[in-house]
Amino acid sequence: MTDLATRTWKRLLHEPPPLSVDPEQRLSEARARRPIEMARTRLLIAGAVFALCFVVLAGRLLEIGILKEGNARSDGGARLTSDAAPGRVDIVDRNGVLLATNLPTVSLYADQETVLSAEGAADRLLTVLPRYSREDLVERITGKARHALIERNLTPDQAFQINQLGLPGFSFERTERRVYLQGPLFSHVLGYTDVDNHGLSGIEAGLDATLRTTEPESGRPFTVSLDMRVQHALTEELNHSIEEFSAIGGAGVVIDANTGEVLALVSLPSFDPNGRRKSDDDVEFNRVTKGIYELGSTFKAFTVAMALDYGVVDMNDGYDASHPIKIARYTIRDDHPQNRWLNVPEIFMHSSNIGAAKMALDVGGERQREFLERLGLLNAYQLELPEVGAPAVPKPWREINTMTIAFGHGLSITPLHLANGIATLVNGGVLRRPTFVKQPEGATISGDQVISPATSEKMRRLLRLVVTEGTGQKAAAPGYLVGGKTGTAEKAAVGGYQRKSLISTFVGAFPMQNPRYVVLAMIDEPKGNRSSFGFATAGWTAAPVVGRVISRIAPLLGIEPVDEDADPIHRELDVKEVSQGARLASF
Amino acid sequence: MIRPGALLWIGASVIVAIALFLIVYRVKGLEKELTLLNQEAAAHEEAIHVLKAEWSFLNRPDRLAELASRHLGLQPVAAAQLTAGQSLDQPSTPTVPVSSGERLQGMLQRITDGGER
């Protein structure tokens, strides 16, 4: 309101219209009253403003005090979430054992503007960080960035000592560091992260997005399908065998035959993932999921299953294995020659190349290819790891390929393919995708029925026969009904095969009357020694690993031992086409 | 001259002002306490986290194996050492066929009798 308006208003309300006043006097009177009126008006306006403010304040008070809906924030409440944001969830094994976590550490920074003397500071820092040279430290302090990173992930001890030095211009910053508590035990399968906690290999890389986006505050870690105890047993036994037979490496995997869960995955030699930078080092090569190998006679399990499933042969059919097969410039002969007619169980038990090749020929190349494809052996797996190897499939698939693939040459697959394929053969014929994520307890994992349950049942008997009577006797773990197949392959080299460089593999399942787990062990270039009578074949090197691993892990996994000589077991697992007890096999 | 109404208002405002100050100080005190407690909780949480990591680290299977071999002399369980519960406590020559319920009762009876003695 302007002065004029107020005055008019007042006049209209209170003052009677002046009737006969001297205009001169009226003017002076008005002039005298003006300041008073102005003051009054201002007071009124100020009062109104204050009243408004108080109404607002009162309203806010009511809101906070009575309605409690105002976002009343206190200094204290905000504190809890402001720091401590790990940004990457913990990884635990299937039993809840912590495998990977983020630990708080501090990093040392230098502020160039406030550092008094780079050389002096470097000299004193050297007493705490002796792994640097003096020049190196000076360069770091006087580097381009004003806020220069000197050293990441100091130990609490180092941080304390640097603090004690009292150097001006140096500051600490809290960071998180990924720590692998089991050291090298899970190196290949878990992988590791870079300094910014981004996955570089293994599950850390394959499930990077999941691990980063899961709310760490929820406190719920990521549970993988691995079992630390099984992983340890497998690692130890493989290491033992590698040492014993002076091998250059090894690999092993344990998978659940009914869910496809991977319980253990070992590739040796291994490395410590803590504080590791990405490199092309050989040790990082994951032999189980990425390495592809011609896995030799273990493939005969697929050949026999194929022939049985197509109805090409029955258990008491057989082939003449007395003469090597000559095709093109190759000769297919047996490593354990029996020089006679062999029936199907005998072909499998004695690992006859001739018999397997003839069997595959009877099935036919087209159907063989189709069968292996159905078992998932010709395509790369979709895994939770980025290290995935694609099988090397021959093109074109000629007759000679049909024959060599029958006994495991000419087609390279990963050991994981082999283990999962065997799981499919023994679990009733259901193919499932291998996974590294723990599946809900007792859940039925769907899969494709790729072979008939009847064939699967026969394969169980045949695989058991290899361990009771055939080439895999050293894989026996009394009470746990191990069944499996050996495979010794010569490594492919330019222009042929190296007779002395072997890949010895044993793949087994247990307990055979209702297989729960498949165990695979592969030894790379074992050398025979006195204890193996000079043999480096799978029956002497890889099979004992599987036997020892199974006798260690079966009690841990809750498998009840049985009396292997009990009648029901014999009824369920014996192969009547072979006279039991007669030692026919050689190694 | 001061009117009684004004006196009342002045008195009320003084009281309210004092009350307000007291409340403000109390709230400040409580907030300080809350901050401290939250910091303490966060510190404890972090300590728990680190201790869990340490626990897992100390339970590395190779370390446990080494300690066990040094101090315990335990061996892995052989299959022959395991047996099912129901195969135990089967009388080799059952004289009178009894139902398992009765047998259990008899067993409990013996145990309690033994306890009383």
Side-chain angles (χ1 to χ4, degrees):
Chain A
M1 273 187 284
T2 60
D3 278 5
L4 192 68
T6 324
R7 242 176 291 147
T8 323
W9 176 59
K10 292 245 157 141
R11 221 169 14 233
L12 282 172
L13 270 179
H14 302 293
E15 292 165 34
L19 295 170
S20 56
V21 193
D22 174 31
E24 193 62 26
Q25 193 198 343
R26 213 175 73 191
L27 201 67
S28 74
E29 207 172 286
R31 205 176 286 145
R33 205 187 286 170
R34 190 179 287 167
I36 298 170
E37 283 184 359
M38 221 198 294
R40 186 183 285 192
T41 322
R42 285 180 184 168
L43 207 64
L44 207 70
I45 295 168
V49 169
F50 271 104
L52 201 72
C53 289
F54 273 112
V55 168
V56 169
L57 279 180
R60 179 73 180 140
L61 262 178
L62 279 178
E63 193 187 1
I64 293 171
I66 295 165
L67 300 175
K68 293 202 170 184
E69 273 173 12
N71 311 320
R73 249 188 306 169
S74 65
D75 297 344
R79 185 62 73 144
L80 199 62
T81 49
S82 65
D83 49 14
R88 200 174 180 87
V89 288
D90 295 349
I91 299 178
V92 298
D93 86 341
R94 63 185 303 113
N95 304 312
V97 177
L98 198 56
L99 305 181
T101 188
N102 278 13
L103 285 183
T105 58
V106 288
S107 297
L108 181 65
Y109 285 86
D111 183 2
Q112 280 194 32
E113 310 267 300
T114 32
V115 171
L116 294 178
S117 137
E119 283 80 10
D123 279 338
R124 305 187 63 187
L125 275 180
L126 272 179
T127 59
V128 186
L129 306 170
R131 71 187 186 94
Y132 287 105
S133 72
R134 187 168 179 273
E135 296 76 42
D136 209 19
L137 270 181
V138 173
E139 201 184 315
R140 271 167 179 261
I141 296 168
T142 56
K144 285 193 190 79
R146 201 194 138 177
H147 193 57
L149 173 69
I150 308 297
E151 170 78 330
R152 277 181 205 275
N153 302 327
L154 295 167
T155 65
D157 240 16
Q158 287 172 326
F160 177 75
Q161 285 172 16
I162 291 172
N163 225 358
Q164 289 287 95
L165 294 177
L167 297 167
F170 287 86
S171 60
F172 296 112
E173 224 163 76
R174 271 180 60 110
T175 49
E176 297 277 348
R177 182 194 176 174
R178 197 69 163 165
V179 178
Y180 301 94
L181 301 158
Q182 309 299 332
L185 190 55
F186 290 93
S187 51
H188 289 94
V189 54
L190 282 189
Y192 55 91
T193 63
D194 63 9
V195 286
D196 297 317
N197 277 349
H198 290 208
L200 287 183
S201 73
I203 290 174
E204 291 273 27
L207 294 174
D208 193 37
T210 318
L211 292 170
R212 263 193 292 153
T213 50
T214 312
E215 264 311 284
E217 276 79 24
S218 70
R220 215 175 306 145
F222 186 81
T223 309
V224 290
S225 63
L226 302 160
D227 188 321
M228 183 186 68
R229 306 166 302 173
V230 179
Q231 179 86 5
H232 173 64
L234 186 59
T235 308
E236 214 174 57
E237 297 302 345
L238 273 171
N239 262 328
H240 180 77
S241 231
I242 288 172
E243 209 170 294
E244 187 178 358
F245 297 105
S246 323
I248 60 168
V253 63
V254 177
I255 62 175
D256 188 315
N258 300 312
T259 62
E261 290 171 288
V262 178
L263 265 75
L265 187 154
V266 180
S267 176
L268 295 170
S270 65
F271 59 92
D272 191 344
N274 287 308
R276 192 171 174 87
R277 312 274 187 271
K278 186 78 184 164
S279 73
D280 296 325
D281 228 345
D282 264 359
V283 295
E284 280 186 26
F285 185 72
N286 187 333
R287 292 162 187 266
V288 180
T289 61
K290 187 149 198 195
I292 56 170
Y293 306 91
E294 294 181 303
L295 289 170
S297 305
T298 47
F299 245 75
K300 284 173 192 147
F302 300 123
T303 306
V304 171
M306 167 179 76
L308 290 171
D309 204 50
Y310 280 123
V312 172
V313 295
D314 201 4
M315 292 287 260
N316 40 32
D317 292 334
Y319 293 92
D320 179 20
S322 51
H323 303 291
I325 307 174
K326 287 200 170 64
I327 175 165
R329 60 191 177 89
Y330 304 98
T331 308
I332 295 170
R333 55 177 93 246
D334 280 355
D335 296 329
H336 316 282
Q338 307 292 317
N339 298 319
R340 61 183 173 92
W341 186 91
L342 299 171
N343 65 16
V344 171
E346 284 171 334
I347 287 172
F348 195 61
M349 182 171 100
H350 299 304
S351 205
S352 163
N353 295 338
I354 301 167
K358 287 183 172 173
M359 211 186 290
L361 274 186
D362 276 357
V363 174
E366 194 51 47
R367 286 204 287 180
Q368 182 190 35
R369 196 197 154 95
E370 192 262 341
F371 181 81
L372 295 177
E373 183 137 36
R374 213 169 354 130
L375 278 176
L377 299 177
L378 303 184
N379 295 305
Y381 281 129
Q382 290 280 313
L383 295 177
E384 290 93 356
L385 317 180
E387 294 88 8
V388 177
V393 183
K395 273 179 194 156
W397 194 294
R398 286 191 292 257
E399 193 175 50
I400 176 78
N401 299 116
T402 298
M403 290 166 88
T404 58
I405 288 169
F407 53 85
H409 280 271
L411 173 65
S412 303
I413 57 170
T414 70
L416 186 63
H417 275 97
L418 176 62
N420 201 47
I422 295 295
T424 308
L425 292 190
V426 298
N427 72 5
V430 184
L431 173 70
R432 294 185 183 86
R433 194 178 67 93
T435 179
F436 292 91
V437 182
K438 189 187 179 188
Q439 305 298 314
E441 213 80 54
T444 323
I445 312 296
S446 66
D448 301 326
Q449 186 79 40
V450 290
I451 62 168
S452 70
T455 308
S456 176
E457 198 266 323
K458 285 176 195 156
M459 286 316 295
R460 291 180 191 175
R461 288 171 188 265
L462 289 175
L463 289 163
R464 174 76 185 141
L465 180 70
V466 172
V467 175
T468 51
E469 311 283 335
T471 53
Q473 292 179 25
K474 289 204 177 294
Y480 297 113
L481 296 171
V482 184
K485 183 76 188 84
T486 55
T488 310
E490 288 158 15
K491 272 190 177 177
V494 184
Y497 288 93
Q498 301 166 291
R499 282 209 67 80
K500 286 284 160 209
S501 304
L502 302 178
I503 294 268
S504 295
T505 315
F506 186 88
V507 58
F510 74 98
M512 224 47 209
Q513 84 278 29
N514 179 24
R516 295 272 308 277
Y517 300 99
V518 171
V519 181
L520 176 145
M522 185 184 98
I523 312 282
D524 195 349
E525 294 191 18
K527 323 275 184 300
N529 61 18
R530 192 189 292 263
S531 74
S532 71
F533 307 102
F535 286 109
T537 50
W540 286 96
T541 55
V545 176
V546 171
R548 291 196 303 263
V549 167
I550 290 176
S551 46
R552 277 178 73 169
I553 66 174
L556 298 175
L557 295 170
I559 307 285
E560 204 179 301
V562 295
D563 178 8
E564 295 195 347
D565 277 329
D567 283 340
I569 301 294
H570 278 302
R571 262 200 303 284
E572 236 179 298
L573 290 173
D574 280 356
V575 180
K576 56 183 178 301
E577 288 79 8
V578 175
S579 52
Q580 295 292 318
R583 272 288 174 93
L584 297 165
S586 58
F587 290 99
Chain B
M1 185 210 140
I2 302 168
R3 280 180 296 171
L7 206 66
L8 191 75
W9 281 114
I10 291 168
S13 62
V14 166
I15 289 167
V16 166
I18 291 170
L20 186 68
F21 271 108
L22 288 179
I23 287 169
V24 164
Y25 278 113
R26 237 181 99 192
V27 167
K28 273 195 179 157
L30 284 172
E31 274 190 353
K32 200 180 272 177
E33 202 179 321
L34 177 63
T35 310
L36 280 176
L37 284 174
N38 274 339
Q39 277 172 354
E40 219 171 289
H44 282 311
E45 252 170 44
E46 198 177 296
I48 289 169
H49 181 82
V50 172
L51 286 171
K52 269 186 186 164
E54 196 177 341
W55 174 248
S56 182
F57 179 71
L58 291 174
N59 277 307
R60 287 186 327 278
D62 49 341
R63 179 174 175 272
L64 290 189
E66 205 251 296
L67 289 177
S69 72
R70 194 166 356 133
H71 298 296
L72 297 177
L74 291 177
Q75 295 283 321
V77 183
Q81 291 169 287
L82 295 174
T83 185
Q86 64 260 33
S87 68
L88 292 174
D89 194 40
Q90 298 267 354
S92 48
T93 47
T95 44
V96 192
V98 277
S99 77
S100 60
E102 282 171 6
R103 214 166 66 219
L104 190 66
Q105 195 143 30
M107 218 148 68
L108 286 171
Q109 194 59 50
R110 270 195 312 263
I111 289 166
T112 43
D113 287 354
E116 276 164 6
R117 233 179 281 133

